[in-house]
């Protein structure tokens, strides 16, 4: 064991059971699954490994209190979110350490995620009291048309490992605000941030049964029965496109309301009139936040011919200067990838690009040390035939492609099945308007490498999914509209 005393205390404070109906319990049958530190491959602890029966028990608990919860005054629901926000901010250091231990990202980034996660709770605390409807005269003058918003009902929320807390709060926040009850299934690699969040929400006054958490090693098998259970009304998923597609097929059978935040393949366009200092600075954020393990990570740098070489050289210099190591160390900028599968995938994509003629400017290999590390890498002269042009890298690898005209840049940017986010750097106003309108994505970073904000609608088009999280749109995913015709 390489964990020190403080790390051990933080791990021991995180619940390891299933949270069902307000109590923590072992999985039926008593199975557990290991939670690993990706920087050392040591087991941090073991958590309950839920069975399909446990998942059904969690849905039972959610259904049992749905009506009562929907009737709770919106202000009270909002205040529970607000109190949770405050407790999270107060304990940000311990929560960040816990996240770094199970997920690997450097402490400063975990602290950033904890704050970002809490912001969704603050935002939706404010939205809880702004759920309203409309009143209109029937156009012919005969009667009134009244609409109201009501909670959709019990939800299944499935979250990934890359942002273990924020991907939860941007579903849990609006569900709580709207008056829905829920079953949450975090990723098996990072269950502790979610069990800790459930414990904090309970402390903040969330009634038993509103939020239920099940951790499981076999996600599909465990949540399968819920997807076909007619009591479930909504499923929100953040994860890979293939799993999203499978879940959508299941959701069709049960006519579930669904939100899908799926994969990305973000283009990062740099025109020759861009502020190159800014473009390089922001590229470091767009590429390296979360070690590149983010659906909004810049996946393809398309740089105009006149500045492509300089951009690649400057990016390589910055990437080469980063310190790789265990995220708990203050000097570390780049932590490990989540697991061996992910690292192998990144290494294969780099090898494939090199086979296609790409030149390694820096990195290009896994350092020789324990843990799932991969060196920050810049590749130049990558042909569009390389696999990484079409596939999400999910690692610290920046391929630089070049283009000559604006039309060519837009065509390359849009030449992807995915459409989550795109970044563009130019100082020309006309060009920025053409580009932001022409990009086939749900979000655009204009002269900015970070778009995520609790007050803005996050989401994609094409194979990146549908539905929006955050902003004014976020709560709509958890509300249905009822229309009442009144004879008057
Ligand atoms: P990633 O590549 O980020 O691991 P996944 O799509 O595999 O993305 O996982 C995202 C979430 O979806 C995790 O919580 C995972 O356990 C869950 N998951 C994976 N497969 C299924 C499935 N067949 N049914 C339901 N959930 C699943």
């Amino acid at each position: 064991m390489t964990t020190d005393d403080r790390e051990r205390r933080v791990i021991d404070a995180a619940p390891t059971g299933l949270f069902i109906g307000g109590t923590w319990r072992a999985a039926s049958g008593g199975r557990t699954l290991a939670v690993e530190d990706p920087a050392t491959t040591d087991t941090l602890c073991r958590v309950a490994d839920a069975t399909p029966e446990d998942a059904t028990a969690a849905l039972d608990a959610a259904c049992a209190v749905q009506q009562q919860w929907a009737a709770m005054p919106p202000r009270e629901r909002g205040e529970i979110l607000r109190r949770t926000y405050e407790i999270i901010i107060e304990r940000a250091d311990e929560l960040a350490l816990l996240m770094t231990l199970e997920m690997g990202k450097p402490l400063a980034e975990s602290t950033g995620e904890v704050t970002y996660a809490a912001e969704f709770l603050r935002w939706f605390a404010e939205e809880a009291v702004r759920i309203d409807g409309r009143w209109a005269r029937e156009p012919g003058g005969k009667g009134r048309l009244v609409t109201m918003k009501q909670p959709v009902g019990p939800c299944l929320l499935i979250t990934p490992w890359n942002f273990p807390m924020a991907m939860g709060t941007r579903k849990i926040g609006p569900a709580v605000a709207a008056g829905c009850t829920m079953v949450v299934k975090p990723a098996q690699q990072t269950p502790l941030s979610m069990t800790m969040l459930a414990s904090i929400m309970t402390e903040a006054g969330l009634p038993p049964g509103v939020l239920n958490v099940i951790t499981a090693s076999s996600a599909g098998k465990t949540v399968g029965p819920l997807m076909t259970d007619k009591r479930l009304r909504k499923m929100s998923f953040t994860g890979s496109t293939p799993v999203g597609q499978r879940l959508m097929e299941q959701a069709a059978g049960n006519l579930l309301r669904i939100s899908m935040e799926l994969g990305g393949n973000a283009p990062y366009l740099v025109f020759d009139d861009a502020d190159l200092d800014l473009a390089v600075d922001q590229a470091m954020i767009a590429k390296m936040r979360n070690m590149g393990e983010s659906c909004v990570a810049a996946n393809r740098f398309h740089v105009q011919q006149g500045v492509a070489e300089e951009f690649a050289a400057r990016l390589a210099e910055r990437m080469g200067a980063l310190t790789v190591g265990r995220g708990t160390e203050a000097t570390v900028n780049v932590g490990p990838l989540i697991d061996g599968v992910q690292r192998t995938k990144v290494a294969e994509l780099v090898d494939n690009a090199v086979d296609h003629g790409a030149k390694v400017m820096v990195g290009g290999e896994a350092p020789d040390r324990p843990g799932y590390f991969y060196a920050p890498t810049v590749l130049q002269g990558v042909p569009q035939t390389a696999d990484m042009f079409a596939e999400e890298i999910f690692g610290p690898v920046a391929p630089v492609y070049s283009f000559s005209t604006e039309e060519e840049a837009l065509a390359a940017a849009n030449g992807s099945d995915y459409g989550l986010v795109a970044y563009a750097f130019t100082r020309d106003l006309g060009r920025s308007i053409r580009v932001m309108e022409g990009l086939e994505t749900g979000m655009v970073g204009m002269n900015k490498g970070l778009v995520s904000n609790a007050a803005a609608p996050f989401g994609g088009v094409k194979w990146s999914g549908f539905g929006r999280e955050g902003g004014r749109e976020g709560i709509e995913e958890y509300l249905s509209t009822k229309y009442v015709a009144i004879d008057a």
Side-chain angles (χ1 to χ4, degrees):
M1 269 293 177
T2 50
T3 46
D4 66 22
D5 287 351
R6 177 155 181 263
E7 292 169 10
R8 185 54 28 217
R9 271 200 308 278
V10 163
I11 296 161
D12 290 345
T16 55
L18 308 175
F19 190 53
I20 299 178
T23 55
W24 293 96
R25 58 162 101 154
S28 53
R31 285 172 63 105
T32 58
L33 67 95
V35 183
E36 194 182 73
D37 177 347
T40 61
T41 75
D42 287 343
T43 295
L44 296 170
C45 65
R46 300 186 72 85
V47 299
D49 190 358
T51 61
E53 292 71 37
D54 293 324
T56 300
L59 182 60
D60 292 344
C63 294
V65 298
Q66 174 58 63
Q67 236 182 339
Q68 252 172 292
W69 177 238
M72 160 94 78
R75 177 69 76 196
E76 286 179 39
R77 294 201 302 262
E79 278 170 357
I80 293 167
L81 291 176
R82 176 73 200 200
R83 276 197 295 279
T84 310
Y85 161 80
E86 276 157 13
I87 300 173
I88 291 177
I89 296 297
E90 224 172 79
R91 296 189 203 153
D93 287 352
E94 292 91 59
L95 292 168
L97 178 56
L98 183 66
M99 189 181 291
T100 290
L101 289 169
E102 67 175 348
M103 192 274 165
K105 70 180 88 180
L107 269 181
E109 287 201 45
S110 291
T111 307
E113 184 188 334
V114 167
T115 311
Y116 175 52
E119 280 302 336
F120 283 99
L121 303 176
R122 176 155 72 164
W123 175 261
F124 286 109
E126 292 154 358
E127 290 295 278
V129 292
R130 315 221 187 290
I131 300 166
D132 51 23
R134 288 202 313 272
W135 174 276
R137 278 188 76 197
E138 191 276 327
K142 296 199 190 79
R144 301 291 178 270
L145 314 178
V146 177
T147 61
M148 67 180 89
K149 299 283 174 131
Q150 294 182 309
V152 292
C155 303
L156 171 63
L157 312 177
I158 302 178
T159 60
W161 47 261
N162 60 344
F163 293 95
M165 190 178 273
M167 297 303 102
T169 57
R170 63 182 178 177
K171 299 183 193 301
I172 296 167
V176 165
C180 298
T181 60
M182 66 211 84
V183 176
V184 179
K185 201 216 68 72
Q188 76 171 89
Q189 295 93 332
T190 57
L192 303 176
S193 295
M194 184 58 70
T195 58
M196 205 59 217
L197 175 66
S199 148
I200 292 175
M201 293 196 83
T202 305
E203 195 180 327
L206 192 72
V210 174
L211 167 70
N212 304 278
V213 179
I214 50 166
T215 48
S217 59
S218 176
K221 207 168 127 220
T222 307
V223 303
L226 303 196
M227 293 297 291
T228 54
D229 191 315
K230 284 192 177 146
R231 297 172 301 165
L232 188 73
R233 294 293 155 75
K234 153 121 200 148
M235 197 271 303
S236 176
F237 172 74
T238 301
S240 61
T241 297
V243 173
Q245 287 165 318
R246 204 168 322 144
L247 285 167
M248 235 178 119
E249 283 169 22
Q250 292 175 26
N254 202 7
L255 287 170
L256 288 177
R257 284 265 307 260
I258 41 182
S259 308
M260 290 277 168
E261 297 288 351
L262 307 178
N265 181 1
Y268 189 102
L269 310 179
V270 182
F271 291 91
D272 55 13
D273 60 31
D275 175 341
L276 213 57
D277 291 337
L278 178 70
V280 173
D281 276 351
Q282 295 293 302
M284 293 301 291
I285 299 169
K287 179 71 255 179
M288 293 306 291
R289 176 166 167 252
N290 230 37
M291 291 81 73
E293 291 174 317
S294 161
C295 51
V296 290
N299 207 57
R300 309 176 270 144
F301 290 88
H302 295 280
V303 188
Q304 203 155 12
Q305 267 158 6
V307 290
E309 221 162 282
E310 187 185 347
F311 178 87
R314 287 172 63 175
L315 189 62
E317 195 185 327
R318 294 280 292 274
M319 294 278 272
L322 296 172
T323 305
V324 176
R326 191 165 186 245
T328 48
E329 291 161 28
T331 52
V332 164
N333 321 105
V334 185
L337 298 180
I338 192 69
D339 55 25
V341 174
Q342 192 57 33
R343 183 172 62 176
T344 301
K345 193 191 137 204
V346 170
E348 282 174 0
L349 285 171
V350 170
D351 294 347
N352 169 275
V354 171
D355 287 347
H356 279 75
K359 179 178 156 213
V360 179
M361 307 273 293
V362 70
E365 60 190 1
D368 182 19
R369 56 179 292 166
Y372 307 114
F373 293 93
Y374 196 84
T377 297
V378 176
L379 302 173
Q380 205 188 5
V382 186
Q384 295 194 4
T385 48
D387 288 348
M388 67 169 62
F389 184 77
E391 279 182 44
E392 194 171 32
I393 302 169
F394 243 60
V397 177
V400 180
Y401 307 83
S402 67
F403 67 85
S404 55
T405 65
E406 186 181 309
E407 294 68 36
E408 205 187 299
L410 265 178
N414 291 337
S416 165
D417 293 335
Y418 297 96
L420 189 58
V421 66
Y423 306 92
F425 287 76
T426 171
R427 281 186 280 210
D428 182 304
L429 178 61
R431 169 173 281 163
S432 34
I433 293 172
R434 286 192 298 277
V435 167
M436 69 177 91
E437 289 181 352
L439 285 165
E440 295 170 2
T441 55
M443 301 176 286
V444 175
M446 187 48 72
N447 292 316
K448 199 166 163 44
L450 179 69
V451 296
S452 304
N453 192 307
F458 186 106
V461 297
K462 296 160 82 177
W463 279 34
S464 294
F466 46 83
R468 294 293 179 267
E469 294 191 315
R472 261 186 255 149
E473 290 80 355
I475 198 166
E476 293 297 330
E477 307 276 324
Y478 296 88
L479 292 169
S480 33
T481 300
K482 182 184 279 174
Y483 145 62
V484 184
I486 303 177
D487 190 18

